[in-house]
Amino acid sequence: MAEVELEAVGTNPRAPLRHPEAGVWGLWGVLVVGMLAAVWSSERPPEPLGAEVPAEAFSEARAWPVLRHLVDEVGPRVAGTPGQARAAEYLMERLRGIPGVEVELQRAAGVRVDGNEAWDYRAENVLARLPGTGDGVVLVSAHHDSAEEEPGAGDNALAVAAAVEVMRALAAGPRLERTVVLGLNGAEEAGLVGAAGLLGHPWLRRAEAFINLDAAGSRGRSLLFQSTPSAPWLLAAYARSVPHPYALVVGQELFQTGLIPSETDYRVFTREGHWPGMDLALYQDGYAYHTPLDGLARVEPGSLRQLGENVLALVRELARGPRPEDAGEAVSTYYDVLGVEMVAYGRRTAWGLVVLGGVFVLGALGMAWRRGGVRAAGVARALGGLLVWGLLGVLVPVGAALLLGFVLGRPHGWYAAPWLAGGAFGALALAGVLWGCALVPGERAVLARGAAALVLAWGVGAALTAAGLGVAYLFPWWTLPGAVLLGVASLRERLVGPALLVASVPGWVLTVELVWRLLAMFIPVTGRLAVGLPLDAAVALLVALAVVPGALGLGVALGGRGRPGRTAGAVALLGLVGCGALAGVRPSNEERPRRLLLTHMEEQGAPARLEVAAEDGLPLGGLLEGRGAEVRETGEAWLAAEPSGLGPLPVTVKQEGVTEGGRAVTLSWRGEPGAQLVVRLPRDAVAGWSLPAELPEGPELVLRVVVPPAGEWSARIVLRGKAPVPVSIKEWRAGYVTRDIEALRRGLPDWVVVEPEACRAVSLSW
């Protein structure tokens, strides 16, 4: 291969090429195409296998009938309704057909307390047990209920089908040392209460680990996004066993911050059961999540196989041999490399990589000083230039996104066309870096620029490690290869630019892989995030974080050559054309619809109304034009409505007067299947209650009665003092369609999906 000259060094007339920047651009373009192809390929699930595989292996073809029956034959499986009961009956029948497996239906009831809230619940859980030869239990958990009005293919019939096939394959293979219990709980969507019921089952008294399967989408690969940090042996078992590793510690950090508006049964098992375990979930194509669109047509072939083969291998690994000791370094970082290899380590190892990277960087700087005459002042100048380049690479696309969302009033075009956002904002990020190269060329010596890039990557990685953020895992992949190749290239300076571009490949691939997954997770979530502001800048920032590191490498290799300002203008023009296309794209379509929450509200003493709220929190636009809607300060709209036909709130209150310890009030409710009662009152006014749980803590006590009993529910609440206590009581009927809701729904565009509900409310003074 011909060598590419980046700097005219020496006096050899044969050394410089006429247009060295053309070779740099060509090499960079090849690397970009190869990187995108590798990341795209790694995100796709493997090809599904048929029923011809051995009996002890996982087969997507054998699991598919379970998925199809739950979605097409049973349909919505709301906790406590006939649909959920039919699903439980069917699953018990399938599991009873597996030789050697014991099956039981658990009818659980209790009170789950979390923060200032308490759930009084009932749940139907299907359990299957495959006895082992020794002690200990491994739990595989998945909820079989669904949200209202949705077939629930991705959430969570696919995981249930995979788990049933895993149990069949386990039973067909050699007997394991530990007992394996499959827990298919029937009330996750009602507040994680099905999992709370599993905690007390006698089959799980010796539970040593759990694998929870859930979903917020129906395509791609199932991601390992939560794992108990104090049980590093779990991740070690995952790394040793699974054939399709797919894991990301950043997902765990996002859940811990609350930026993802969802929870899973992992929370119950770890916080209330104190069991070590991990959470696996599909997340791509979250547009259909909790909508009627979550059907079989959205399920991607191979998703079942990837999840099933991983769970089967992981269960076999956890259920055989002696249990690893808990002693050891707690895991703070885990991720996969293009779905091929799993990496997991703790804080000490993370700091070890920082120190190792520092040693390598110092060694490379030493080589650059000895061989290329690079000085500290030159590196400092180059570092200043890199910071300006990177800042412009972020500000230009973010500024364009702010213009789209706040000035032009055309936000969220990327919701319907994510690829267009990647092209538009990515081009603007590259243009920003190139403009930086033209405005602030910085140090001309290519070795100094390369050394500054290494110092910058190492410093950012060290700072993120000090902050305890798992995303720091990216930076050893930038610094270690970069330092090695910079040191080698110092022997021949004309190779420094190409060497640094090649050295950036490992770090850039993992950076793009991370941002790819974050965008696939974040963009659908914005449809139900309800922040009330355009989020174009957040999407532009994520795209820029993927593009800027590689663009900086290009800038380092080019320096000020090739008229970067003129090139930046051409690239920026492409980006602006993309932004113009985003401004013209309607944010929603039939595949990626906008979500509206329609609530038929009947509050005692007030006329009935229809409350309309966009789940993305953005203005409703012209969706209610000509309907006489009253727009509230919260952004939701109220429409006049007729009575729902449900009648008065079926609640009775009996005040028993002063007793020992306070005033007693008995609250009774006759709820229909699928209904939920919510009672709110000041916590400091409550001295006790008759429910079998401690009183929650907090300024307000929130009692939720979910999956109501067939007869009457009642509870006795003891109040302090004689002063009146304000109480709010609401009954929610999710999925309930009144005539007003149906009339409005028929008049909405086909790119809008509706979540209907009815609410009856009363405010009292006890």
Side-chain angles (χ1 to χ4, degrees), residues 539-559:
V539 173
L541 177 61
L542 282 174
V543 174
L545 291 179
V547 173
V548 166
L552 288 177
L554 175 65
V556 166
L558 285 173

Side-chain angles (χ1 to χ4, degrees), residues 8 35 113 117 143 148 152 174 177 187 194-195 238 245 258 313 318 431 439-440 527 536 562 573 632 705:
M35 173 196 62
V113 176
E117 296 189 277
H143 71 90
E148 299 76 11
E177 180 174 328
Y238 182 95
L318 293 174
L439 295 173
V440 186
D536 300 69
L573 181 60
R632 313 290 292 180
V705 185

Side-chain angles (χ1 to χ4, degrees), residues 112 119 121-123 125 187-188 190-198 265 706-707:
R112 174 178 178 255
W119 284 262
Y121 70 88
R122 279 132 294 279
N125 299 329
E188 189 264 358
L192 314 181
V193 296
L198 286 175
D265 290 327
V706 297
V707 195

Side-chain angles (χ1 to χ4, degrees), residues 275-329:
W275 297 339
M278 48 183 54
D279 225 348
L280 283 73
L282 285 170
Y283 68 95
Q284 295 184 28
D285 193 27
Y287 304 97
Y289 172 74
H290 281 199
T291 77
L293 299 177
D294 188 14
L296 291 181
R298 306 290 287 232
V299 175
E300 183 175 10
S303 293
L304 254 174
R305 178 189 171 187
Q306 187 263 347
L307 173 62
E309 288 186 351
N310 277 2
V311 174
L312 178 61
L314 181 57
V315 171
R316 282 182 170 145
E317 183 69 22
L318 293 174
R320 64 187 174 200
R323 177 183 170 180
E325 295 294 331
D326 288 338
E329 185 181 12

Side-chain angles (χ1 to χ4, degrees), residues 228-241:
T228 306
S230 59
W233 48 272
L234 277 172
L235 285 166
Y238 182 95
R240 285 194 306 269
S241 62

Side-chain angles (χ1 to χ4, degrees), residues 522-737:
F522 175 72
I523 288 178
V525 165
T526 61
R528 52 192 173 91
L529 205 53
V531 296
L533 295 171
L535 294 171
D536 300 69
V539 173
L541 177 61
L542 282 174
V543 174
L545 291 179
V547 173
V548 166
L552 288 177
L554 175 65
V556 166
L558 285 173
R561 293 182 174 275
R563 298 182 177 179
R566 181 176 298 180
T567 305
V571 175
L573 181 60
L574 291 175
L576 291 174
V577 170
C579 286
L582 282 174
V585 171
R586 188 179 61 231
S588 304
N589 54 39
E590 293 183 47
E591 289 294 307
R592 300 179 172 103
R594 192 175 191 193
R595 300 165 181 258
L596 293 188
L597 180 63
L598 303 187
T599 305
H600 196 124
M601 175 65 71
E602 292 180 299
E603 198 166 3
Q604 189 178 59
R609 63 180 182 268
L610 196 61
E611 297 180 356
V612 185
E615 293 193 44
D616 56 14
L618 297 179
L620 290 165
L623 290 176
L624 304 179
E625 188 174 351
R627 298 178 182 271
E630 175 191 350
V631 180
R632 313 290 292 180
E633 291 182 2
T634 57
E636 66 182 11
W638 287 8
L639 299 170
E642 297 295 324
S644 67
L646 290 173
L649 182 62
V651 168
T652 59
V653 178
K654 181 181 178 182
Q655 302 203 39
E656 302 176 7
V658 179
T659 65
E660 185 178 351
R663 296 181 291 123
V665 176
T666 298
L667 176 66
S668 302
W669 173 54
R670 290 187 176 272
E672 295 293 326
Q676 178 179 145
L677 187 74
V678 181
V679 182
R680 297 175 180 268
L681 66 164
R683 170 62 180 84
D684 57 8
V686 181
W689 61 8
S690 62
L691 299 178
E694 296 292 329
L695 283 166
E697 297 298 329
E700 182 183 46
L701 189 155
V702 181
L703 171 61
R704 301 181 185 272
V705 185
V706 297
V707 195
E712 184 178 73
W713 172 90
S714 66
R716 188 168 180 265
I717 301 174
V718 180
L719 304 174
R720 292 190 175 95
K722 298 180 180 180
V725 176
V727 180
S728 167
I729 303 176
K730 293 182 179 180
E731 182 197 68
W732 297 93
R733 299 281 296 274
Y736 192 87
V737 181

